């Protein structure tokens, strides 16, 4: 079972009764979902529990045919607004339940052998016909701090790939999947230099003034193979060749100098260390919404069930 620690605001849902009256019911859930994945039974169970009062909301659906909810068919092919999938509640293999308990719901949910003492007091199951909508998103494919739409991903082809995606360093890994867009052994996320709220257009550019003076197009550090513009490629300013550029300094000259790769006065050329492996963790968010739900206690036009967030580790191989 994967656990997440994000907190969302509580929502109030409006119920429409069969006679047309509308009244408010506060489920008071945080809308932060956990997942049970029972491969023996073959089901996913997205759920949330709470105490005082003891309640749960849960969505059961088959693993078979639905792995794309958590791992879209071409994982790097999401549109800007995300990957969407819809299911229909059938009351059997696809079920939504709202339950109350006389104890901690976690003693029952996902437990192959439930703890004694906790029982289900009320169990409301949605009638067949309700729609379940999954929206799977990640704005930054490689989690390098630069949104994929700003990394030249381009237009998606019919096969789900991005054939025109920009590859600044020519290593065979497009920027939107590359942790080090300029292959200088300083990761992009460590080169953008952005404060909270700043746009990628404000990314750090150490040699900006020099580029302007030379009539060159300004290139931010995360795309620049020579960050300080001293004529020595950044990757060759690694004096001890340990693939770490922040521990090499020009000891002659100013007090407390910047690392060589950001010091225009440090121009010596050294053997580059090994290229860093392109491994990154993407944070994926699955938002679950139910429409036209009849629970017996009322009709819900829409239920925001909540959000399930989980990390996935990827590794991209460079061209030889």
């Amino acid at each position: 079972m994967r656990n997440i620690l994000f907190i969302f605001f509580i929502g109030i849902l409006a119920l429409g009764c069969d006679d047309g009256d509308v009244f408010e019911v506060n489920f008071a859930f945080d809308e932060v979902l956990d997942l049970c994945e029972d491969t023996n039974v073959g089901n996913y169970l997205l759920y949330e529990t709470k105490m005082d009062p003891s309640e749960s909301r849960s969505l059961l659906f088959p693993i078979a045919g639905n792995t794309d909810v958590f791992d879209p068919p071409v994982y790097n092919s999401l549109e800007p607004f995300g990957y969407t999938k819809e299911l229909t509640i059938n009351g059997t293999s696809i079920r939504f339940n709202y339950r109350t308990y006389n104890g901690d719901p976690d003693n029952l949910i996902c437990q192959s052998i439930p703890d004694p003492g906790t029982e289900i007091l009320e169990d409301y199951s949605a009638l067949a016909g309700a729609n379940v909508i999954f929206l799977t998103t990640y704005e930054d494919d490689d989690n390098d701090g630069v949104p994929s739409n700003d990394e030249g991903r381009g237009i998606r082809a019919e096969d789900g790939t991005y054939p025109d995606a920009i590859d600044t360093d020519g290593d065979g890994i497009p920027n939107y999947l590359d942790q080090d867009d300029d292959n200088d052994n300083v990761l992009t996320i460590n080169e953008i230099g952005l404060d909270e709220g700043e746009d990628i257009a404000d990314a750090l550019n150490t040699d900006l003034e020099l580029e302007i003076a030379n009539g060159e197009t300004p290139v931010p550090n995360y795309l620049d193979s020579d960050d300080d513009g001293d004529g020595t490629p950044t990757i060759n300013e690694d004096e001890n060749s340990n693939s770490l550029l922040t521990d090499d300094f020009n000891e002659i000259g100013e007090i407390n100098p910047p690392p060589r790769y950001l010091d225009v006065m440090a121009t010596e050329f050294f053997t580059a260390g090994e290229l860093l492996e392109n491994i990154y963790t993407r944070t994926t968010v699955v938002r679950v919404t139910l429409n036209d739900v009849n629970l017996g206690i009322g009709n819900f036009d829409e239920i925001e069930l909540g959000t399930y967030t989980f990390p996935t580790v990827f590794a991209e191989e460079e061209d030889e």
Side-chain angles (χ1 to χ4, degrees):
M1 178 178 64
R2 304 182 181 100
N3 294 314
I4 53 178
L5 301 176
F6 299 100
I7 301 298
F8 289 79
F9 291 107
I10 292 171
I12 297 177
L13 300 174
L15 280 72
C17 293
D18 292 337
D19 59 5
D21 294 333
V22 176
F23 59 95
E24 289 185 338
V25 172
N26 190 348
F27 273 132
F29 285 86
D30 290 331
E31 298 183 12
V32 180
L33 303 177
D34 282 320
L35 174 69
C36 300
E37 183 177 346
D38 192 335
T39 56
N40 293 323
V41 178
N43 293 321
Y44 291 123
L45 182 73
L46 283 169
Y47 71 94
E48 183 179 14
T49 64
K50 72 180 191 66
M51 297 289 290
D52 193 25
S54 298
E55 299 172 333
S56 72
R57 299 190 301 182
S58 61
L59 176 68
L60 178 82
F61 57 104
I63 294 175
N66 295 306
T67 57
D68 54 338
V69 169
F70 306 103
D71 183 17
V74 181
Y75 71 78
N76 61 1
S77 67
L78 297 187
E79 296 296 345
F81 299 106
Y83 175 81
T84 302
K85 177 161 187 170
E86 295 187 21
L87 297 177
T88 302
I89 299 291
N90 58 22
T92 53
S93 61
I94 305 174
R95 303 197 305 268
F96 172 69
N97 292 82
Y98 165 63
R99 292 169 173 157
T100 65
Y101 305 79
N102 65 353
D104 188 348
D106 287 329
N107 292 336
L108 295 179
I109 291 183
C110 291
Q111 304 297 322
S112 56
I113 302 178
D115 292 341
T118 299
E119 297 177 353
I120 298 173
L121 299 180
E122 296 173 302
D123 187 356
Y124 300 100
S125 183
L127 300 182
N131 294 322
V132 182
I133 301 175
F134 301 95
L135 178 63
T136 307
T137 58
Y138 40 81
E139 293 183 0
D140 185 356
D141 285 78
D142 55 6
N143 222 22
D144 65 354
V146 186
S148 296
N149 287 340
D150 294 323
E151 294 208 81
R153 189 173 57 177
I155 304 299
R156 187 177 72 168
E158 291 184 0
D159 63 358
T161 63
Y162 291 87
D164 299 321
I166 293 174
D167 178 11
T168 297
D169 52 24
D171 63 356
I173 302 173
N175 289 4
Y176 78 99
L177 296 177
D178 198 340
Q179 284 279 271
D180 184 3
D181 293 316
D182 54 7
N183 247 15
D184 63 358
N185 268 356
V186 185
L187 298 182
T188 293
I189 198 168
N190 296 327
E191 288 199 276
I192 55 179
L194 295 176
D195 294 325
E196 185 176 354
E198 287 188 311
D199 189 81
I200 191 60
D202 300 315
L204 179 65
N205 186 357
T206 300
D207 59 354
L208 175 61
E209 293 183 3
L210 182 60
E211 290 173 333
I212 293 176
N214 292 335
E216 301 171 355
T217 301
V219 179
N221 287 7
Y222 78 94
L223 297 175
D224 194 343
S225 60
D226 181 7
D227 293 312
D228 54 8
D230 63 359
T232 303
T234 293
I235 198 169
N236 294 114
E237 300 203 59
D238 185 1
E239 185 173 1
N240 53 18
S241 300
N242 67 348
S243 301
L244 180 65
L245 276 296
T246 56
D247 65 352
D248 302 283
F249 303 91
N250 181 16
E251 303 295 344
I252 301 176
E254 62 182 291
I255 299 174
N256 298 322
R260 281 182 171 276
Y261 79 99
L262 297 177
D263 187 348
V264 71
M265 302 303 296
T267 60
E268 290 182 81
F269 188 101
F270 301 97
T271 302
E274 293 185 5
L275 285 175
L276 300 175
E277 189 174 1
N278 192 55
I279 297 177
Y280 56 91
T281 300
R282 174 183 302 133
T283 300
T284 303
V285 179
V286 180
R287 184 76 185 176
V288 186
T289 305
L290 292 87
N291 294 324
D292 301 322
V293 181
N294 186 338
L295 272 178
I297 55 174
N299 298 320
F300 295 76
D301 291 333
E302 181 177 279
I303 296 177
E304 290 286 350
L305 185 59
T307 301
Y308 175 62
T309 304
F310 64 99
T312 305
V313 178
F314 294 97
E316 295 288 341
E317 296 293 334
E318 297 187 7
D319 286 346
E320 297 295 336

